[in-house]
Every structure is written in C-alpha cells, then in structure tokens.
Amino acid sequence: MAIFSVYVINKAGSLIYHYDHTSNRPEVEKTFSFPLELKLKIFDERVVVAFGERDGIKVGHTVLSVNGIQAEGRCLKDGRDIIEVLNDEKKYPINIKFGRPKLTSNQRIMLASMFHSLFAFGTQLSPEPRSSGIEVLETDTFKLHCHQTMTGIKFVVLTDPRQTAVEMLLKKLYEIYADFALKNPFYSLDMPIRCELFDDNLKGALEQAERLGISNI
Amino acid sequence: MTVFNFYIFDRNGTCLYYAEWNRKKQSGISKEEEFKLMYGMIFSIKSFVNRISPTDMKDGFMNFKTTKYKLHFFETQSGLKFIMNTDLNVGSVKETLQLIYSSIYVEYVVKNPLCYLDQPITSELFKAKLDDFVRGLPIFPTSVS
C-alpha cells in the first residue's frame, strides 16, 4: 500500500501543485569492461539505455553517474561528454550507475496538460451519453485516480494498484484545498499553490490514507 | 453487462477493424476521424503512463474508467492494439482480448493469404467469427437493457 504522488491541475490544464510522497526509484550500479554490453542513445538530453537489459538495468534507464561522478544531462559534472568517456577504451573498467529518469518540473507541467487533454478525449470517445472524463486509469505498476470538481479543478493521485479508499482521499484533498488554499488571502486563483498549511494538511491526509487503507470517515 | 464497441489498430495507427454492438452515443465526427482520435489518445496514454510511472513497467496501460464506461486495452509484441469498451461492471478482459488475437485474428486474418496485414480487414469470415465470439461472451447480455 502506498501513495506515490499528488497533482493538482487547474481548469486550463496547467499544473498548480505537485507533491511526491513515496518513491523508490530503482538504481543499479555495475562495473563494465570494454566493449559495453549495452546500447546507449541520447534522448531528451539524457543518455538512455536503448537495448540490452541485464542485471536490473532496463531499457529507458538513464546514466546517473560514471565512476561516482554525477551526470548532468548528457555530460558529467566535470564537463566531459558521457558518450565520449564511454567510447574511450583506456577508461575501462568503468563503473556506471543507472536508474529511472527523475521527472523535471517542466516535464511534470507537460504531463499535467497532457492528462488534461486525455481527460477530454475520454468524454468525446464515450460510447454512452453524458460520460465524465477519465476517473481511474490502471497499469500494472500504479493506478491513477482523478477527481474533477464542479469548478474544473482536477485532483490526481497516483497510488499502488492495491490502495483502497482513494475516492475518500480525493474528497479530503478538495476540502483541504478549499480550506487552506482558497481561504489564504495571498493565494491568487489558478496560480501555483504555495501555502504551508496546505502542504502540511495534505501530507497529513496522505499519511492517514496510507495507514488506514480502508478509511473510516 | 454490455460490450459497446471494439477496435483493432496496427502499429502504424491504421484502424484494421471496428465493430459496435450496444453503442448509444456516436462521437459526432466521421469514423475516420474517430479512429485517428482514438489511436492518438491510446498513443498519448501509453507515453504518459510510461513517463509518469514511479517504477519500471511490464504491461503498461491496461484500462481506464469514466462514470459511464470502461476502456480495455491490450497490445501484442508486434504492436497490434485491441481496444474494447464495456460498461463499468466488467472486470479484466485481458484473456478475452488475447483470445481474440490468438484464435480469431491469427486464424482468420494472418492465415488467410488474401488478407493484407496493413489494410482494414474485409474478410466476412473474420467478421462473423468475431461477432459470434463477442456475442457469446458472459459479459455480453442476451437482452439489451
């Protein structure tokens, strides 16, 4: 049972709040000899595994560090290009750390607006009249729950597929939003939420929902 | 329980087959446009889900629910996409979609030398077999409510 993250999207589709609750991003460290058994490629300014899954390294993982030096985009912290370093036979054996790429805030904003339009498509392609947009989206690793309020704000929660009583949590989040964001005189509507009380109460609600599983509100 | 409609797309986004049973609302656009929209939505959901997932995925996107219907999705390794819309009371239809692929699509399209794999399916036999199969499913009611 776990709640992974919370997104709040305003009625225009922009991300106004985001919070990562639990995340256990897998990281794998391994020492390689020349030539590398993996095929790497540059994708989105990152060095990504394109082919050759082994020892927990999966396609789509990015290079996080080489010999303990952190990666920054396609270069290392000391300015050297990762692909160039890995093509140099003299540098081997070499130690590389791989992991799932962390989402940057720009990517999160993009994903939020992407979900906003997917939600609308869900309504339009409905075979039944008067359908809402996507409420629950299921994959093998997580479940996405979305609650749209009458005013068009969407609360999106990513949870473990087995997590229960998420509808209750979504209602609670709306309540917290109404109480601590909307009643804050320094908060302007449709803008990113930066309210301490909102943060604290949201964290409390998430912890409670995780502890109870089946909530007894 | 009801099955509303069913789509097959190939890996390039061509709609190979479409069938509907108890659909009450049409999307208000031409079928061609609707297929494009559906494929676009599925493509975006796949990419969205891949990026937002906190851990590595195996099957990826499986289904989504709205207040009125549930969309089930199954993709083969060769990129064929099977999409079935049902009502909300239906559980997982993954096995059903797999069966449609292995015992109807493969048998009556792939093994038919007159069927082109990248063009919409026109085979009457396939059409009849699929219709029979779906109408025989336990999730397909005999009396339409």
Side-chain angles (χ1 to χ4, degrees):
Chain A
M1 297 284 217
I3 295 165
F4 299 129
S5 43
V6 178
Y7 293 79
V8 183
I9 304 166
N10 76 7
K11 61 175 176 287
S14 50
L15 185 66
I16 55 171
Y17 188 81
H18 154 256
Y19 172 67
D20 265 341
H21 191 57
T22 38
S23 67
N24 46 340
R25 294 190 173 270
E27 288 183 358
V28 188
E29 210 165 349
K30 195 172 150 41
T31 307
F32 292 90
S33 52
F34 195 82
L36 213 56
E37 302 100 326
L38 299 159
K39 182 98 190 82
L40 301 173
K41 66 171 178 191
I42 304 280
F43 178 74
D44 218 5
E45 283 301 296
R46 278 170 162 149
V47 185
V48 179
V49 178
F51 180 76
E53 294 194 350
R54 63 194 319 260
D55 309 322
I57 301 167
K58 295 271 164 55
V59 167
H61 280 188
T62 56
V63 173
L64 297 176
S65 67
V66 176
N67 286 339
I69 307 166
Q70 280 214 320
E72 260 181 5
R74 51 185 296 179
C75 294
L76 290 175
K77 261 244 159 75
D78 55 12
R80 288 178 301 165
D81 191 277
I82 293 175
I83 296 286
E84 268 169 37
V85 172
L86 295 181
N87 281 339
D88 188 357
E89 194 174 345
K90 280 174 240 129
K91 300 278 197 309
Y92 283 79
I94 204 162
N95 180 284
I96 313 174
K97 189 153 95 182
F98 291 94
R100 260 189 84 78
K102 227 173 116 47
L103 289 171
T104 62
S105 41
N106 271 335
Q107 280 173 320
R108 285 189 203 282
I109 292 168
M110 211 190 84
L111 288 172
S113 45
M114 199 163 157
F115 182 73
H116 183 76
S117 39
L118 289 175
F119 187 89
F121 287 156
T123 315
Q124 199 183 359
L125 288 169
S126 166
E128 284 274 278
R130 289 183 301 282
S131 170
S132 72
I134 299 171
E135 283 198 326
V136 181
L137 189 150
E138 211 175 336
T139 74
D140 57 337
T141 52
F142 71 92
K143 233 173 162 173
L144 178 148
H145 299 258
C146 174
H147 171 67
Q148 190 181 33
T149 69
M150 295 296 276
T151 48
I153 292 166
K154 283 193 259 300
F155 291 85
V156 177
V157 176
L158 261 63
T159 68
D160 187 281
R162 286 158 300 172
Q163 177 78 30
T164 52
V166 186
E167 287 75 29
M168 221 76 97
L169 172 69
L170 287 166
K171 299 255 157 62
K172 181 85 185 151
L173 290 181
Y174 184 32
E175 216 177 293
I176 293 169
Y177 169 77
D179 280 347
F180 299 103
L182 291 184
K183 289 180 189 171
N184 184 331
F186 300 105
Y187 173 66
S188 45
L189 213 62
D190 284 347
M191 292 303 276
I193 303 169
R194 290 186 219 288
C195 308
E196 236 174 76
L197 272 175
F198 179 75
D199 280 340
D200 298 343
N201 281 281
L202 181 127
K203 276 172 210 168
L206 293 186
E207 265 150 35
Q208 196 192 6
E210 242 173 358
R211 243 197 337 269
L212 293 174
I214 301 157
S215 167
N216 50 3
I217 300 168
Chain B
M1 292 204 266
T2 321
V3 177
F4 296 127
N5 52 5
F6 175 74
Y7 301 80
I8 303 177
F9 289 100
D10 76 354
R11 61 173 170 187
N12 304 315
T14 316
C15 184
L16 297 182
Y17 190 71
Y18 173 74
E20 67 181 45
W21 289 276
N22 299 310
R23 183 169 178 173
K24 293 194 191 73
K25 175 190 164 263
Q26 296 298 328
S27 50
I29 47 179
S30 74
K31 275 280 167 297
E32 246 98 273
E33 299 266 301
E34 186 190 307
F35 298 155
K36 282 184 200 166
L37 193 60
M38 176 57 90
Y39 185 80
M41 177 175 78
I42 295 297
F43 188 87
S44 311
I45 287 181
K46 272 182 53 190
S47 135
F48 170 79
V49 151
N50 252 316
R51 277 188 281 172
I52 209 166
S53 169
T55 48
D56 297 310
M57 293 202 293
K58 233 173 76 221
D59 299 336
F61 170 54
M62 297 194 293
N63 62 59
F64 75 67
K65 267 191 249 184
T66 74
T67 47
K68 296 282 180 185
Y69 75 105
K70 187 171 180 184
L71 179 144
H72 305 262
F73 173 73
F74 165 69
E75 185 175 15
T76 67
Q77 290 299 315
S78 51
L80 273 174
K81 293 168 183 67
F82 293 79
I83 296 155
M84 188 182 260
N85 287 326
T86 68
D87 72 333
L88 295 171
N89 303 320
V90 175
S92 171
V93 296
K94 197 182 167 205
E95 279 81 30
T96 311
L97 293 178
Q98 262 165 345
L99 209 62
I100 291 178
Y101 169 62
S102 64
S103 64
I104 302 179
Y105 179 79
V106 171
E107 289 298 323
Y108 301 108
V109 176
V110 179
K111 293 188 184 172
N112 181 349
L114 297 175
C115 279
Y116 296 100
L117 292 182
D118 53 354
Q119 277 165 26
I121 301 165
T122 47
S123 160
E124 287 294 328
L125 183 62
F126 171 80
K127 211 182 253 182
K129 290 282 177 192
L130 183 73
D131 196 63
D132 280 354
F133 179 80
V134 174
R135 282 180 195 279
L137 288 173
I139 55 170
F140 196 97
T142 39
S143 61
V144 179
S145 55

